[in-house]
């Protein structure tokens, strides 16, 4: 087995605003198993488009390692060197060293999906192009006018679940925007989710949750910053609307720590991003222990290219399907000007595998 690493920089079509800043580009490391750059390959191989020369990259497996700066627990200046070390270990043993790689979720996710090509061949209705996965329409942070227009665009595209990133503009303006949406669309017509990305404080969070609860909000992600278990537990106990943990799960890699976190905070939901929350295996653990405690979950991507998005979507279809009804956060496939072509497409409010004509 031979594993090659290719560092890629993807460019956003529009700046992606978050509470942690604005992204204009996205850096990823693609890992290829037994890559060859030639055309005479067998049916067992897969391929993606190569450089402008028209050459194709041929491989037996591919995965994406995509840490988010200032958020991923494994983002570091020597990321590429560390990833190479793990790739060397996999080359020698043929297996992913899960226990060693628990602190490196984005690397683990990339190597898992490179070695386990189920994300390209898994037998689910989604993989066969028979079912689409329902997804939410993501509204990026911006001015009141920008967010209002983006909401209208998503509704025209057919979305019935909209997720708003909040915390970038004046709180009163954000509440005004939510009030405007609810004045035109009932909760039966539009499911509203909001993501604070830790933008509230323990002092003002409950007041803001009560304000949001007036507008039939489905859930709020990470109202206060992570690592405040006592305060988050109080909010989850007293909240007038469901709370979902996201950033709180980052860096919690051991099974015992996961159980302790959920038993202490008792959230209503957890939201899982394989690149941040332990790769595929780590997310399986989170889902299993959450289910034991009656805690709901859904899966989202973390601004990966189509390589990572494809793997996450197939995992989602496998673990929640068939016939998924809860909208997932998988609507990031159209973000980049230079994305990698994959047979994925958004039709209406669902993500589909596009059937390739024979």
């Amino acid at each position: 087995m031979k594993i090659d690493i290719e560092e890629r920089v993807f460019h956003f079509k529009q700046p992606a605003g978050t509470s942690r800043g604005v992204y204009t580009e996205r850096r990823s490391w693609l890992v290829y198993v037994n890559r060859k750059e030639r055309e005479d390959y067998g049916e067992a191989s897969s391929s993606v488009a190569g450089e402008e020369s028209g050459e194709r990259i041929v491989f037996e497996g591919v995965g994406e390692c995509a840490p988010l700066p200032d958020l991923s627990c494994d983002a570091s200046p020597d990321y590429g060197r560390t990833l190479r070390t793990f790739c060397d270990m996999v080359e020698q043993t043929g297996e992913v060293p899960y226990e060693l790689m628990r602190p490196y979720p984005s690397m683990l996710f990339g190597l898992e999906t490179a070695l386990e090509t189920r994300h390209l061949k898994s037998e689910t209705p989604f993989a066969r192009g028979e079912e689409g996965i329902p997804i939410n329409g993501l509204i990026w942070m911006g001015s009141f006018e920008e967010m209002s227009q983006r909401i209208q665009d998503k509704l025209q595209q057919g979305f019935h679940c909209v997720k708003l990133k909040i915390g970038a503009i004046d709180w009163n303006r954000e509440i005004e925007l939510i009030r405007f949406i609810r004045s035109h669309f009932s909760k039966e017509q539009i499911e509203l989710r909001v993501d604070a990305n830790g933008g509230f404080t323990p002092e003002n969070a409950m007041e803001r949750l009560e304000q949001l609860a007036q507008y039939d909000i489905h859930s709020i992600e990470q109202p206060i910053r992570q690592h405040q278990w006592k305060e988050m537990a109080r909010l989850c106990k007293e909240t007038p609307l469901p709370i979902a943990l996201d950033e709180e799960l980052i860096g919690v890699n051991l099974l015992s720590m996961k159980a302790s976190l959920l038993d202490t905070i008792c959230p209503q939901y957890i939201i899982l991003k394989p690149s941040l929350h332990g790769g595929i295996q780590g997310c399986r653990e989170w889902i299993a222990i959450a289910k034991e405690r009656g805690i709901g979950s859904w899966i989202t991507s973390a601004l990966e290219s189509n390589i990572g998005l494809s793997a996450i979507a197939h995992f989602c279809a496998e673990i929640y399907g068939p016939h998924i009804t809860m909208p997932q956060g998988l609507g990031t496939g159209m973000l980049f000007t230079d994305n990698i072509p994959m047979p994925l497409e958004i039709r209406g409010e669902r993500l589909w595998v596009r059937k390739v004509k024979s």
Side-chain angles (χ1 to χ4, degrees), residues 143-300:
S143 67
F144 180 92
E145 292 74 18
E146 289 172 336
M147 294 180 73
S148 179
Q149 183 59 53
R150 290 167 187 167
I151 291 169
Q152 293 180 50
D153 292 342
K154 291 298 181 185
L155 298 181
Q156 290 176 1
Q157 292 167 24
F159 284 91
H160 291 87
C161 177
V162 175
K163 172 180 168 180
L164 302 175
K165 292 275 190 178
I166 59 176
I169 59 178
D170 180 78
W171 170 249
N172 291 327
R173 293 282 277 171
E174 290 176 334
I175 282 292
E176 182 182 342
L177 181 63
I178 292 170
R179 184 186 301 116
F180 172 81
I181 298 171
R182 270 291 170 253
S183 67
H184 290 79
F185 301 95
S186 68
K187 65 178 181 179
E188 288 75 25
Q189 294 173 301
I190 293 294
E191 179 180 288
L192 279 179
R193 300 175 179 177
V194 296
D195 183 1
N197 285 124
F200 301 167
T201 67
E203 292 73 29
N204 67 24
M206 186 57 68
E207 178 184 356
R208 293 187 174 186
L209 292 176
E210 290 172 349
Q211 287 181 273
L212 288 168
Q214 300 176 40
Y215 302 104
D216 296 311
I217 304 298
H218 171 271
S219 58
I220 180 171
E221 294 181 36
Q222 202 69 39
I224 62 175
R225 286 199 174 272
Q226 63 267 46
H227 308 314
Q228 302 180 85
W229 286 20
K230 181 178 179 180
E231 293 298 333
M232 188 69 85
R234 177 183 63 83
L235 290 176
C236 289
K237 182 179 180 179
E238 301 175 2
T239 182
L241 73 158
I243 290 176
L245 301 185
D246 180 355
E247 289 94 336
E248 197 73 66
L249 312 181
I250 297 173
V252 182
N253 301 311
L254 298 178
L255 191 59
S256 59
M257 293 175 61
K258 295 176 182 180
S260 178
L261 183 149
L262 295 185
D263 288 338
T264 300
I265 298 179
C266 301
Q268 286 72 37
Y269 294 103
I270 58 173
I271 301 172
L272 297 165
K273 299 178 174 70
S275 290
L276 295 176
H277 301 137
I280 298 297
Q281 177 168 294
C283 286
R284 287 187 190 279
E285 292 177 351
W286 276 116
I287 291 169
I289 62 175
K291 188 175 182 179
E292 290 173 356
R293 291 157 175 78
I295 297 170
S297 65
W298 67 87
I299 292 173
T300 79

Side-chain angles (χ1 to χ4, degrees), residues 279-344:
I280 298 297
Q281 177 168 294
C283 286
R284 287 187 190 279
E285 292 177 351
W286 276 116
I287 291 169
I289 62 175
K291 188 175 182 179
E292 290 173 356
R293 291 157 175 78
I295 297 170
S297 65
W298 67 87
I299 292 173
T300 79
S301 52
L303 306 183
E304 294 91 355
S305 76
N306 280 338
I307 295 291
L309 177 62
S310 176
I312 296 169
H314 283 282
F315 168 57
C316 181
E318 176 194 335
I319 201 162
Y320 291 138
H323 316 312
I324 299 173
T325 56
M326 175 175 280
Q328 309 292 307
L330 304 177
T332 59
M334 310 297 177
L335 292 177
F336 305 111
T337 60
D338 44 7
N339 212 334
I340 295 174
M342 294 287 284
L344 295 173

Side-chain angles (χ1 to χ4, degrees), residues 92-104:
Q92 295 172 13
T93 66
E95 297 180 352
V96 175
Y98 285 103
E99 294 307 315
L100 285 178
M101 293 191 69
R102 280 184 180 271
Y104 305 90

Side-chain angles (χ1 to χ4, degrees), residues 4 73 106 156 173 210 355:
D4 293 311
C73 62
S106 66
Q156 290 176 1
R173 293 282 277 171
E210 290 172 349
K355 292 184 178 181

Side-chain angles (χ1 to χ4, degrees), residues 35-55:
R35 181 175 72 169
K36 297 180 181 179
E37 296 181 2
R38 58 186 178 85
E39 287 292 348
D40 55 329
Y41 53 91
E43 293 182 358
S45 298
S46 301
S47 64
V48 295
E51 302 301 324
E52 293 181 359
S53 62
E55 189 174 44

